[in-house]
Amino acid sequence: GSQKYPGENDFKKYISTFAGYDNAFTSDVETCYHFNIANCGFEGALDRFSRFFIDPLLNASSVDRELLAVDSEHKGNIQKNDWKQYELLKRVSNQNHPFSQFSTGTAETLRGSANQLGVSLRDELLKFHQKYYSSDIMNLVIAGNHTLDQLTEWAVSKFTQVKSQGNPKVQRHAHPLSNSEIGQVVYMERVDDGQEISLIFALPEIKSSYRNGATLYISYLLRIQGKGSLYSYLQQKGWIADLNGSTLPATSDEFNMFIISADLTSEGLKHCNDIVHAIFAYLNMITATKPQKWYHNEIRTINNLNHYFYQKASVQSWVESRPGVLHNAFILPEHVMTAGSLIGEFDPEMISILLGFLKPNNYLMLVGAKQHEGIQFNMTDPFYGTKYYVDRLPSDLTKRPGAGFKYRRLFSMPKTNPFIPKNLAKIIHRTNADIASTDPVYLKCTEKMAVWFKKDNLFFTPRGAIHIKIKVKLIDTPFYHALNELYGMYTQEHLYNELHQAMLAGLHFHYTPTAGIINIRITGFSENQKSVLDAILTKVKRMTIDEQLFSALYQTLADSYGAIRTDEPLTHAIMNLDFINKHPFWHYTHKQAELKKITVADLQLFADHIFDQTFFKVLVIGNFEEEDALDIANMVDLILISKELPEHLTETPRFLSINPGHYVYQALTTDENAKNSAVVSHIYCGSIINGYELVVLQLLARIVREPFFDQLRTQEQLGYRVNAYIQSFGTNQILSFYIQSESSPAYVGMRITDFIYLFREKLIKYSFETLATQINSIAEKWSEKPKTIFQEADKHWSQISSGNYDFDHKERYIALLKKLTRDDLVRFWDKYINPETAHMYRRIDSQIWSSKTIKPNSAQFAQFYSGSIALQGCLHRDGAANVTLSKVNDIVLLASQSGNIKNALESLQNQFNIQIDTSSQTFVALQMAVNQITANHSFAVNDSLNLTKICMRQSPDGIWLINNIRKFKDSQQLLGSSLPFQIPEPKYVDTEN
């Protein structure tokens, strides 16, 4: 809070009321605070926002709680390779340079350090704010639909009080990669089976060169694919899965780095030195060729096209990027709007200077893998626990690498880009009927295709989009699904290699096979979209599987399956719920096992026959004529040369219709080093087919999100990852809560349940004025028109692809929304969400238990109340020894009979030789455990199912434990397909038209 708005959660509550969002992020040298909000609440939000920089309170209790959030965020990153690698780069850089310092924070580095120094952490925060939150080094960017005069008046009136403290930044001219660090090779232990190599070159500051495009020139050449490229050479060797080259974000006034990185295959790990030789040989070719003006002009033309035909996407992302631009003192005022999108005239000297830094005497190398042959790790990073080993680069990698004869003629500059549009002045004519039209037109339907079209009547630019959904024969086995994923990776790599220049020219395409469906999406300038689609279909139709590329991508897919094991617990909790709700759905472990059986011949056979029988839908939208859409559809049909696909050979994804009851699925984390656990709770809330229920849940979710975050994240500090949101499985709509936490999942699950019980009282007293503001803000958001032709295409395609054809649903939903009252919300809460009143209460909790947390077995789950299990977990986390469930349960039962919590607290402290603070989670757990028995909260559900027949167990508080997901799914019914909103008639009945 602030002196003007002292409520601790006032800002977030205000933002939430006006359907907004806020966040912040910190880089090495700057922090960005940002928010978005409905325009009607903008002034109030700005006023509250400004006070953070004028008179923040930074209350001691808030500091203590946020410290735990910082610590929790760090622990969630400990097992992420990107974080580990960046911290390791700091670890091996010049330790006298600020860059080497730890970039986030832990309880130990913050509170622990403050205690060691004998200072108050809050006092240090206030000093930091006073010193660095100075108007001299702060920038403000605001955007809204108000006049510039109004926005300016608000900016001046609300932020003038931000104090000027001068410029406290200390200028240093050294580089974090000095001569001592250059020439090192660092071998790093990854947490998964992936491999990577990075060459990190020391650069001076490049902020002053923001306009010349020199770094883009080099980056484009490193990323380009096709004949003569470094990427294609390394890929054909079977050594890499991906390649990139770029600088760090240009935020430092003193230095930068250029990083060339590659994701390696297992074979590539054995050829690291060969890869380095090839990289330098390619850089030598670029240097020897001299900077080419025509290539710079191609990059410049592409950037100019994207800028001058800019499609307004998210104002939020643009606003977030501009303060960093304003921090660059070299950027001229007239370039603030265009920095990062437009580049200037050809500057061969600057390109040559940069290439001069990409030399073998100016880099260090980092190699990441789970194991390195012949390497014994001898050091450990103190913050992430990363094991590593540092050595000097061998002489052949520092003295003229890549200079051998065998590298000559391997590499060459790319050809001119044939996909850059040339006829941008051609904008399709629009009649009055076209301009009045809001929905796409159903042009044609045959036994093999359905064609939809909409002419652009909103943006009047030479852009467009083509969406195609091809149904193919489905074989529902994990072998088929793994093969399908490998096919998707192969076609993507094959197409990107062949059509990479189309991507560079702003023609973005996606070829995405899923189970029984291939989705194709092409966006960008309309001029060459048909040619790109022709090339995509022709190339995949006639594709011959290359053994080297197959081996590389096979290994990449195998590594990606293996990497899932170390994903954060929250990811696994969500994935298990997907497994429970979806049919068919194959767990990654099933596909991982089947992948081992797949051969080159299998993939070739799959590719040869995937289009034997098809049915496809197509939407053409944008700067096209109706005839273009029909021509595109006919072209697809002619290239595929497929037979009609009978309906019985396709399968619509099905979803479970969960029987009433409260269920929980528990699993141990697959990463033994993970400190966090996770809980995701799904509460099933009716059907998305019912427009009234859909709109009520949308409003409820908006209302519940901020109090849930405030209570369990801000107040209780259960974890850094806390959220409430809506999702759907088929026609099921679900209110979901998730928390990733070091606490016992049993405790977290009970805190979610307690929140649900207590929130009903808040809902009953919810202010009419606040509710009206929420409704109006959501209506304003829903009324927003698409900002790009691509957003409009996605909006219409979602209805066409799903077969629902409800193009005007937003208007109906807004009308329903505006009629809602508080009573509607309370009735809905009691019907679906409140377990004491909801006769059809359906809830599934997915729990992932850290190995650091005591997890009950199924017999203990059935014997003891959840409260006793939660209390045991809290005691164990607090360091209590020999904490058995039976001992804990005895104390809880005695307290529930006597009603004396104080005696129970003393018993716990004496029994387990531990001090328990009355503000701690352990004390809250004790209260919940006792109240669970004495309050006797009961489900309204009449539980008539006897799931013990499929080896499920029920806890004393009525929760069913899912021991076997497949058996549980077999005991539930499947939802049928929903009826479409309408069945449209095609414009041309004659299929020959």
Side-chain angles (χ1 to χ4, degrees):
S2 62
Q3 291 180 21
K4 185 173 182 180
Y5 300 102
E8 185 176 45
N9 207 45
D10 181 88
F11 180 69
K12 277 191 175 294
K13 190 178 294 184
Y14 183 89
I15 292 289
S16 177
T17 299
F18 287 91
Y21 167 81
D22 70 286
N23 209 334
F25 60 86
T26 300
S27 70
D28 282 337
V29 296
E30 61 190 29
T31 298
C32 177
Y33 300 87
H34 56 90
F35 71 87
N36 64 41
I37 195 168
N39 279 294
C40 54
F42 194 33
E43 182 185 8
L46 275 177
D47 197 44
R48 287 162 174 79
F49 186 67
S50 68
R51 307 314 295 189
F52 295 147
F53 313 103
I54 298 169
D55 52 15
L57 294 178
L58 296 178
N59 293 323
S61 60
S62 301
V63 171
D64 289 341
R65 287 195 301 272
E66 286 307 307
L67 172 69
L68 297 177
V70 170
D71 192 63
S72 178
E73 182 182 14
H74 169 71
K75 286 172 178 173
N77 293 332
I78 283 177
Q79 291 298 96
K80 295 180 179 178
N81 288 309
D82 289 347
W83 284 93
K84 294 167 85 73
Q85 180 175 324
Y86 190 58
E87 180 58 33
L88 191 55
L89 175 58
K90 290 170 168 286
R91 180 69 31 193
V92 299
S93 67
N94 181 355
Q95 295 301 292
N96 294 319
H97 195 284
F99 176 79
S100 67
Q101 296 174 1
F102 182 42
S103 58
T104 57
T106 68
E108 181 59 31
T109 61
L110 293 168
R111 182 167 54 200
S113 298
N115 291 341
Q116 286 180 4
L117 295 170
V119 297
S120 160
L121 180 58
R122 177 177 180 267
D123 289 347
E124 293 303 305
L125 278 174
L126 289 168
K127 289 177 186 176
F128 184 90
H129 185 278
Q130 185 176 13
K131 180 178 180 179
Y132 289 103
Y133 280 56
S134 167
S135 61
D136 303 86
I137 57 170
M138 295 170 68
N139 291 304
L140 173 69
V141 178
I142 61 177
N145 69 350
H146 309 276
T147 65
L148 285 175
D149 287 344
Q150 180 65 80
L151 293 173
T152 303
E153 192 277 323
W154 284 342
V156 172
S157 64
K158 299 182 187 306
F159 289 87
T160 299
Q161 293 182 56
V162 177
K163 295 178 182 177
S164 167
Q165 309 289 356
N167 186 345
K169 292 194 294 184
V170 178
Q171 296 295 325
R172 295 176 175 85
H173 301 290
H175 199 288
L177 298 182
S178 66
N179 290 334
S180 300
E181 291 76 42
I182 293 296
Q184 295 182 111
V185 55
V186 183
Y187 298 95
M188 161 191 156
E189 180 187 46
R190 284 174 60 99
V191 298
D192 56 25
D193 295 324
Q195 299 89 205
E196 64 189 316
I197 184 172
S198 296
L199 276 60
I200 303 160
F201 298 86
L203 291 186
E205 67 81 20
I206 58 171
K207 294 174 76 171
S208 56
S209 306
Y210 71 95
R211 193 76 173 173
N212 59 37
T215 57
L216 272 181
Y217 182 96
I218 300 170
S219 295
Y220 267 55
L221 285 172
L222 285 166
R223 294 202 310 267
I224 200 163
Q225 300 177 34
K227 187 177 179 181
S229 71
L230 174 65
Y231 189 109
S232 296
Y233 170 75
L234 295 175
Q235 187 189 71
Q236 287 163 12
K237 285 286 188 181
W239 294 343
I240 69 163
D242 197 14
L243 177 70
N244 276 292
S246 64
T247 61
L248 293 176
T251 53
S252 172
D253 293 331
E254 304 147 14
F255 72 92
N256 208 295
M257 301 178 194
F258 196 97
I259 302 176
I260 301 175
S261 59
D263 293 337
L264 304 178
T265 63
S266 297
E267 193 63 24
L269 186 63
K270 301 174 187 176
H271 289 272
C272 281
N273 287 12
D274 292 322
I275 291 170
V276 174
H277 278 284
I279 289 172
F280 279 109
Y282 189 71
L283 290 172
N284 291 341
M285 180 278 296
I286 298 174
T287 303
T289 308
K290 305 294 185 186
Q292 299 291 301
K293 186 173 184 178
W294 70 266
Y295 193 66
H296 168 87
N297 288 343
E298 272 198 0
I299 298 171
R300 188 183 186 192
T301 299
I302 292 166
N303 282 25
N304 286 349
L305 290 173
N306 287 326
H307 175 78
Y308 291 118
F309 294 101
Y310 176 65
Q311 296 278 287
K312 299 176 186 175
S314 167
V315 175
Q316 176 82 21
S317 60
W318 184 87
V319 169
E320 286 175 32
S321 69
R322 290 309 97 178
V325 169
L326 290 167
H327 275 302
N328 186 345
F330 296 101
I331 295 179
L332 299 175
E334 60 266 30
H335 293 160
V336 168
M337 299 291 286
T338 61
S341 58
L342 293 183
I343 59 177
E345 297 295 331
F346 180 50
D347 187 346
E349 182 181 357
M350 189 61 197
I351 295 172
S352 296
I353 289 172
L354 276 178
L355 284 168
F357 286 102
L358 306 187
K359 295 297 182 183
N361 62 350
N362 188 43
Y363 79 104
L364 68 81
M365 183 166 76
L366 193 151
V367 185
K370 202 165 189 178
Q371 294 179 325
H372 299 264
E373 186 176 351
I375 297 295
Q376 293 292 324
F377 301 117
N378 61 355
M379 288 179 275
T380 303
D381 171 66
F383 300 113
Y384 289 85
T386 309
K387 295 179 182 179
Y388 64 102
Y389 177 84
V390 180
D391 202 352
R392 299 304 298 180
L393 283 164
S395 60
D396 68 311
L397 297 187
T398 59
K399 296 177 180 177
R400 302 187 69 231
F405 177 79
K406 69 176 183 177
Y407 294 105
R408 294 177 188 171
R409 300 184 181 178
L410 272 180
F411 304 120
S412 59
M413 290 290 287
K415 305 293 184 186
T416 56
N417 193 329
F419 294 101
I420 296 176
K422 299 176 178 61
N423 192 13
L424 294 172
K426 183 184 177 184
I427 303 293
I428 299 298
H429 175 70
R430 290 146 179 93
T431 65
N432 290 334
D434 292 329
I435 294 172
S437 172
T438 58
D439 300 338
V441 178
Y442 189 19
L443 293 181
K444 176 180 178 180
C445 181
T446 73
E447 70 280 357
K448 291 168 65 176
M449 71 174 78
V451 187
W452 292 78
F453 169 72
K454 185 177 185 299
K455 190 179 292 187
D456 172 24
N457 62 355
L458 293 175
F459 308 102
F460 305 99
T461 67
R463 293 181 182 265
I466 300 172
H467 284 263
I468 302 174
K469 176 181 180 179
I470 307 173
K471 280 192 171 186
V472 297
K473 184 178 178 180
L474 171 67
I475 303 171
D476 185 23
T477 65
F479 179 87
Y480 171 90
H481 284 264
L483 185 60
N484 192 62
E485 288 186 27
L486 186 57
Y487 171 77
M489 292 175 64
Y490 192 97
T491 51
Q492 174 178 290
E493 202 62 48
H494 179 64
L495 292 171
Y496 283 7
N497 197 34
E498 296 288 331
L499 295 171
H500 188 69
Q501 287 186 307
M503 298 285 283
L504 293 178
L507 279 166
H508 300 284
F509 63 85
H510 297 277
Y511 181 91
T512 313
T514 56
I517 292 170
I518 294 172
N519 284 299
I520 302 173
R521 180 178 187 260
I522 303 174
T523 58
F525 296 103
S526 55
E527 183 179 320
N528 293 311
Q529 286 194 20
K530 184 179 176 183
S531 299
V532 170
L533 178 60
D534 187 340
I536 289 171
L537 292 173
T538 302
K539 291 178 187 304
V540 297
K541 181 72 175 173
R542 302 172 184 171
M543 190 166 62
T544 300
I545 305 302
D546 175 79
E547 288 197 27
Q548 288 275 28
L549 183 55
F550 171 87
S551 297
L553 295 176
Y554 178 97
Q555 185 63 52
T556 301
L557 182 57
D559 289 345
S560 72
Y561 286 151
I564 294 173
R565 179 184 60 80
T566 57
D567 281 348
E568 61 182 357
L570 181 59
T571 301
H572 283 271
I574 292 171
M575 182 167 53
N576 288 338
L577 282 168
D578 288 346
F579 189 23
I580 289 171
N581 281 280
K582 295 179 182 179
H583 178 82
F585 185 89
W586 294 101
H587 199 263
Y588 80 93
T589 53
H590 302 140
K591 294 182 286 188
Q592 188 177 35
E594 293 298 310
L595 179 65
K596 298 173 184 177
K597 305 173 185 177
I598 295 175
T599 65
V600 174
D602 292 323
L603 186 58
Q604 186 67 67
L605 188 67
F606 185 88
D608 288 343
H609 294 282
I610 192 168
F611 296 116
D612 283 355
Q613 295 172 291
T614 65
F615 176 84
F616 66 89
K617 293 181 178 180
V618 59
L619 168 66
V620 178
I621 181 172
N623 192 42
F624 296 101
E625 294 283 11
E626 192 176 279
E627 292 76 12
D628 296 321
L630 294 169
D631 287 346
I632 287 168
N634 289 331
M635 181 188 75
V636 173
D637 192 30
L638 285 171
I639 295 174
L640 294 183
I641 323 173
S642 54
K643 296 179 182 178
E644 177 187 352
L645 178 69
E647 192 64 31
H648 71 273
L649 292 180
T650 67
E651 184 172 336
T652 302
R654 306 284 293 277
F655 301 91
L656 261 62
S657 176
I658 304 295
N659 285 314
H662 186 174
Y663 309 91
V664 63
Y665 178 71
Q666 300 178 337
L668 279 171
T669 177
T670 51
D671 180 2
E672 63 277 5
N673 295 315
K675 296 183 178 180
N676 280 319
S677 299
V679 176
V680 182
S681 293
H682 276 185
I683 301 177
Y684 295 77
C685 299
S687 171
I688 60 173
I689 296 174
N690 185 320
Y692 168 79
E693 291 190 339
L694 183 148
V695 170
V696 173
L697 185 59
Q698 290 283 338
L699 178 57
L700 261 176
R702 283 280 185 185
I703 292 172
V704 80
R705 186 176 296 130
E706 182 276 326
F708 181 74
F709 183 91
D710 178 54
Q711 180 61 43
L712 300 179
R713 159 69 156 77
T714 306
Q715 302 299 327
E716 299 187 23
Q717 283 297 321
L718 274 187
Y720 182 74
R721 303 288 303 277
V722 177
N723 196 17
Y725 62 104
I726 297 173
Q727 71 175 107
S728 62
F729 286 114
T731 58
N732 284 324
Q733 61 172 5
I734 297 164
L735 179 61
S736 300
F737 301 94
Y738 71 62
I739 299 176
Q740 184 166 281
S741 171
E742 289 187 79
S743 301
S744 161
Y747 177 81
V748 172
M750 290 191 71
R751 295 309 301 141
I752 292 173
T753 301
D754 262 29
F755 174 84
I756 291 169
Y757 281 128
L758 295 173
F759 187 74
R760 185 181 188 277
E761 296 304 313
K762 292 185 179 180
L763 200 57
I764 291 172
K765 300 174 183 176
Y766 202 71
S767 156
F768 292 113
E769 293 78 10
T770 305
L771 180 61
T773 302
Q774 284 272 17
I775 288 172
N776 291 333
S777 300
I778 295 172
E780 182 179 315
K781 288 275 186 183
W782 287 358
S783 298
E784 289 180 359
K785 288 182 167 57
K787 293 182 174 63
T788 70
I789 189 68
F790 313 134
Q791 287 182 1
E792 185 186 17
D794 291 343
K795 169 190 166 186
H796 294 316
W797 181 244
S798 68
Q799 294 298 320
I800 294 168
S801 177
S802 66
N804 197 37
Y805 310 118
D806 186 5
F807 299 108
D808 301 319
H809 60 282
K810 282 288 179 70
E811 288 77 5
R812 293 199 320 280
Y813 291 166
I814 290 171
L816 287 169
L817 176 69
K818 291 185 174 180
K819 294 178 182 178
L820 294 182
T821 66
R822 188 172 64 187
D823 289 342
D824 289 301
L825 302 182
V826 175
R827 278 195 298 269
F828 188 90
W829 191 268
D830 286 342
K831 181 178 180 181
Y832 291 114
I833 302 169
N834 180 4
E836 291 187 306
T837 57
H839 292 281
M840 296 296 289
Y841 184 68
R842 298 179 297 155
R843 172 175 166 181
I844 301 180
D845 289 0
S846 174
Q847 300 178 351
I848 300 295
W849 292 64
S850 165
S851 58
K852 312 291 190 292
T853 305
I854 293 181
K855 178 181 174 295
N857 58 40
S858 58
Q860 291 171 326
F861 181 91
Q863 182 181 355
F864 298 106
Y865 277 90
S866 301
S868 296
I869 295 172
L871 180 55
Q872 179 199 31
C874 291
L875 288 164
H876 178 262
R877 184 185 174 191
D878 286 348
N882 302 316
V883 186
T884 65
L885 262 174
S886 56
K887 290 180 183 178
V888 172
N889 195 60
D890 288 343
I891 294 172
V892 170
L893 287 174
L894 188 62
S896 66
Q897 293 164 3
S898 66
N900 195 325
I901 291 284
K902 184 178 179 181
N903 287 346
L905 180 61
E906 292 175 356
S907 297
L908 287 173
Q909 293 180 136
N910 295 332
Q911 179 78 55
F912 302 113
N913 191 27
I914 188 173
Q915 287 297 313
I916 301 173
D917 192 278
T918 54
S919 63
S920 68
Q921 288 186 9
T922 303
F923 184 71
V924 174
L926 172 61
Q927 290 179 308
M928 288 196 303
V930 173
N931 290 341
Q932 185 179 46
I933 299 173
T934 56
N936 194 27
H937 283 304
S938 60
F939 297 138
V941 172
N942 179 15
D943 189 3
S944 58
L945 282 178
N946 182 9
L947 297 174
T948 57
K949 296 176 181 178
I950 56 170
C951 303
M952 287 178 61
R953 303 220 184 185
Q954 191 172 30
S955 69
D957 40 313
I959 302 173
W960 284 102
L961 177 66
I962 301 172
N963 283 317
N964 185 299
I965 290 179
R966 289 220 168 271
K967 288 182 179 179
F968 174 73
K969 291 174 76 168
D970 289 342
S971 73
Q972 309 295 306
Q973 294 181 339
L974 288 174
L975 290 169
S977 301
S978 60
L979 292 173
F981 177 77
Q982 62 174 322
I983 301 177
E985 289 289 333
K987 179 176 180 180
Y988 300 117
V989 179
D990 180 4
T991 58
E992 294 299 313
N993 197 324

